[in-house]
């Protein structure tokens, strides 16, 4: 099964703070990646009630269906590859069973018929390797909002915390409680209705 544990730390930034980190690490030398997340939920918000999220991500002309679920060390991610045609059917609320994600949804008691498309969030991303972690700067756009975020992906909680704190301290940026993208997206969606 295509699964992985994701250990990441996030901190929302102002545009000025984003620029400070951009100058602090060698982000100028790496390619800008644009990716779009298409989010889904069950009518009774069952995914949200389980702390889970379901998305399709388009990145570099690749389409991936991912279910994220809480895990003791971070997030358990379950993936299925999609064709562009399959992804477009999902976005039109014509979901089809994909083996790995469907199995996990079934364990949560969520039927594919309960799912519906919520909307999309586009992120302009830069990534650099730093002290055996991946440091990410994201500029995300959704509804009438945009935000800036620092993300550190690490192989352990200890390494991730150390690196994000070091970067924030070096750039004189306060630690902020930061919701993940789907929570921020969902709040923006509710506010726009």
């Amino acid at each position: 099964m295509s699964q992985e544990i994701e250990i990441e730390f996030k901190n929302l930034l102002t545009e000025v703070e984003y620029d400070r980190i951009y100058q602090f690490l060698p982000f100028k030398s790496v390619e800008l990646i644009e990716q779009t997340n298409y989010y889904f939920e069950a009518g009774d918000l069952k995914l949200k009630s389980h702390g889970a999220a379901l998305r399709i991500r388009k990145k570099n002309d690749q389409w991936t269906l991912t279910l994220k679920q809480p895990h003791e060390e971070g997030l358990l991610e379950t993936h299925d590859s999609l064709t562009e045609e399959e992804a477009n059917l999902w976005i039109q609320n014509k979901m089809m069973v994909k083996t790995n994600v469907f199995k996990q949804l079934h364990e949560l008691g969520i039927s594919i018929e309960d799912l519906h498309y919520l909307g999309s969030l586009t992120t302009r991303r830069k990534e650099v390797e730093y002290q055996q972690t991946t440091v990410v700067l994201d500029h995300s756009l959704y509804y009438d909002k945009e935000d800036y975020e620092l993300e550190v992906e690490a192989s352990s909680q200890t390494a991730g915390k150390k690196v994000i704190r070091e970067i924030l301290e070096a750039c004189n940026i306060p630690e902020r409680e930061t919701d993940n993208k789907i929570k921020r997206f969902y709040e923006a969606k509710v506010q726009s209705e």
Side-chain angles (χ1 to χ4, degrees):
M1 182 178 288
S2 180
Q3 289 185 316
E4 62 186 329
I5 304 298
E6 178 182 66
I7 300 171
E8 64 182 14
F9 297 86
K10 301 171 174 287
N11 204 80
L12 277 175
L13 306 168
T14 65
E15 187 174 1
V16 170
E17 292 166 344
Y18 174 97
D19 290 337
R20 221 178 284 159
I21 295 173
Y22 189 89
Q23 301 302 322
F24 177 69
L25 292 173
F27 283 106
K28 286 182 198 165
S29 64
V30 295
E31 182 182 348
L32 179 72
I33 302 163
E34 187 165 289
Q35 61 190 36
T36 302
N37 291 344
Y38 301 88
Y39 293 113
F40 300 85
E41 179 55 273
D44 56 3
L45 303 180
K46 200 175 240 181
L47 282 166
K48 187 177 180 186
S49 72
H50 284 287
L54 183 65
R55 70 158 191 241
I56 292 173
R57 175 173 283 170
K58 180 187 181 196
K59 181 177 176 182
N60 299 328
D61 291 324
Q62 300 289 315
W63 298 81
T64 306
L65 176 66
T66 300
L67 176 67
K68 291 187 173 202
Q69 298 170 261
H71 185 276
E72 59 201 30
E73 295 194 27
L75 291 172
L76 173 64
E77 292 189 345
T78 305
H79 308 287
D80 280 302
S81 293
L82 298 176
T83 64
E84 183 174 359
E85 181 183 0
E86 289 171 329
N88 285 325
L89 287 171
W90 271 75
I91 292 165
Q92 296 169 41
N93 289 314
K94 298 174 185 171
M95 287 72 175
M96 60 194 61
V97 173
K98 294 305 281 186
T99 313
N100 300 329
V101 169
F102 179 74
K103 179 179 180 288
Q104 295 300 114
L105 287 170
H106 184 73
E107 287 178 13
L108 293 173
I110 298 172
S111 166
I112 198 166
E113 290 82 23
D114 297 336
L115 298 173
H116 64 275
Y117 172 63
L118 290 177
S120 65
L121 177 148
T122 298
T123 299
R124 295 179 181 129
R125 171 171 281 192
K126 290 255 189 171
E127 297 180 2
V128 295
E129 297 302 313
Y130 180 71
Q131 295 186 13
Q132 284 117 28
T133 68
T134 301
V135 178
V136 179
L137 278 179
D138 281 344
H139 175 205
S140 296
L141 306 147
Y142 49 104
Y143 291 99
D144 290 334
K145 297 200 177 292
E146 66 180 310
D147 64 40
Y148 300 88
E149 176 183 36
L150 167 66
E151 188 175 293
V152 174
E153 298 172 3
S155 58
S156 73
Q157 296 274 337
T158 306
K161 282 180 190 172
K162 177 184 174 291
V163 169
I164 197 164
R165 286 182 176 148
E166 179 184 306
I167 293 168
L168 293 172
E169 190 174 306
C171 295
N172 196 28
I173 299 169
E175 277 189 59
R176 297 183 179 101
E177 190 72 30
T178 301
D179 288 331
N180 61 27
K181 283 182 183 66
I182 192 161
K183 285 184 183 172
R184 299 194 314 261
F185 167 86
Y186 192 78
E187 286 173 13
K189 178 178 174 37
V190 168
Q191 289 173 3
S192 73
E193 293 174 347

